[in-house]
């Protein structure tokens, strides 16, 4: 208050109701939980890349070094419908679906309450999309061989909005600081 008066600025007041503040705090906590799930998936994909000679060969043929792959935290989503299950103890966790990593569909049997769950990203080089603060908020995946779509991105989620993010901005921050412009 004294500082704001000394420089002639007014401190904005938080005019939200206690209920609105509580709802906002819960939303922030939930977004953090989603970011934790996405970070865990990113770590899993990175481990998968290290053990996939085929994916490593693909990156080398495209001119990407291990240093570049590490800097951009690139990974690999293996083939298979439930490869993420090896990275998550609870594959049925609703956060996997909400974060865009897993897709759920009703089972084919009419009247059945069963749900089929499968990985959104399969047999793809994975590029984590990070916020400017460095949190993993989504993924872009590039198919290794022939297949459609060639590029597949995470869907819109509470932490990822395609129109508000710029891929590589987190990684480019030091170059931006050095040059003084974008």
């Amino acid at each position: 208050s004294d500082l704001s008066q000394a420089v002639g600025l007014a401190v904005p007041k938080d005019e939200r109701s206690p209920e609105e503040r509580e709802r906002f705090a819960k939303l922030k906590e939930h977004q953090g939980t989603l970011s934790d799930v996405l970070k865990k998936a990113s770590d899993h994909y990175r481990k998968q890349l290290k053990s996939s000679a085929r994916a490593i060969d693909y990156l080398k043929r495209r001119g990407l070094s291990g240093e570049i792959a590490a800097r951009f935290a690139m990974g690999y989503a293996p083939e298979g419908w439930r490869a993420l299950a090896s990275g998550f103890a609870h594959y049925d966790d609703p956060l996997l679906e909400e974060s865009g990593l897993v897709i759920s569909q009703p089972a084919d049997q009419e009247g059945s309450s069963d749900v089929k769950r499968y990985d959104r990203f399969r047999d793809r080089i994975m590029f984590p999309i990070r916020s400017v603060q460095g949190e993993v908020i989504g993924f872009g995946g590039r198919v290794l061989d022939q297949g459609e779509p060639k590029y597949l991105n995470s869907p819109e989620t509470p932490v990822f909005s395609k129109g508000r993010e710029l891929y590589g901005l987190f990684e480019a921050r030091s170059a931006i600081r050095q040059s003084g412009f974008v």
Side-chain angles (χ1 to χ4, degrees):
S1 177
D2 292 338
L3 178 60
S4 64
Q5 288 177 348
V7 294
L9 296 174
V11 176
K13 295 199 183 322
D14 187 350
E15 296 181 6
R16 296 176 296 178
S17 70
E19 294 82 16
E20 288 173 316
R21 281 194 289 267
E22 184 179 339
R23 189 169 46 88
F24 182 76
K26 285 182 179 177
L27 175 64
K28 278 299 201 193
E29 182 180 327
H30 183 66
Q31 288 176 338
T33 304
L34 282 175
S35 292
D36 292 342
V37 167
L38 290 160
K39 170 69 168 106
K40 186 174 180 179
S42 179
D43 293 343
H44 176 74
Y45 292 141
R46 289 181 76 182
K47 287 179 192 167
Q48 298 301 309
L49 176 60
K50 290 176 183 176
S51 62
S52 173
R54 182 171 153 262
I56 291 169
D57 182 58
Y58 172 84
L59 291 175
K60 286 181 178 176
R61 283 189 322 229
R62 302 289 300 219
L64 296 171
S65 66
E67 179 186 322
I68 291 171
R71 183 176 346 137
F72 286 87
M74 295 167 66
Y76 172 64
E79 295 179 276
W81 292 96
R82 295 172 60 100
L84 261 181
S86 67
F88 288 87
H90 302 286
Y91 189 73
D92 59 349
D93 185 338
L95 291 173
L96 289 174
E97 184 177 353
E98 189 176 355
S99 64
L101 296 168
V102 168
I103 297 172
S104 292
Q105 289 184 336
D108 294 335
Q109 302 164 357
E110 195 166 315
S112 172
S113 61
D114 291 340
V115 174
K116 290 193 307 188
R117 295 172 66 84
Y118 58 93
D119 296 356
R120 177 178 304 276
F121 300 101
R122 299 177 306 279
D123 195 26
R124 291 177 181 273
I125 298 294
M126 298 299 291
F127 300 85
I129 301 168
R130 297 190 265 199
S131 68
V132 72
Q133 294 82 16
E135 291 182 326
V136 178
I137 56 174
F139 289 95
R142 205 283 188 198
V143 72
L144 265 70
D145 299 315
Q146 301 302 313
E148 294 296 328
K150 186 181 281 188
Y151 296 97
L152 180 64
N153 292 320
S154 290
E156 299 273 325
T157 69
V159 295
F160 178 59
S161 175
K162 293 175 190 175
R164 289 198 326 246
E165 304 302 333
L166 179 62
Y167 176 78
L169 184 58
F170 172 75
E171 293 81 3
R173 289 181 318 162
S174 60
I176 292 169
R177 274 192 214 106
Q178 288 175 350
S179 64
F181 62 92
V182 178

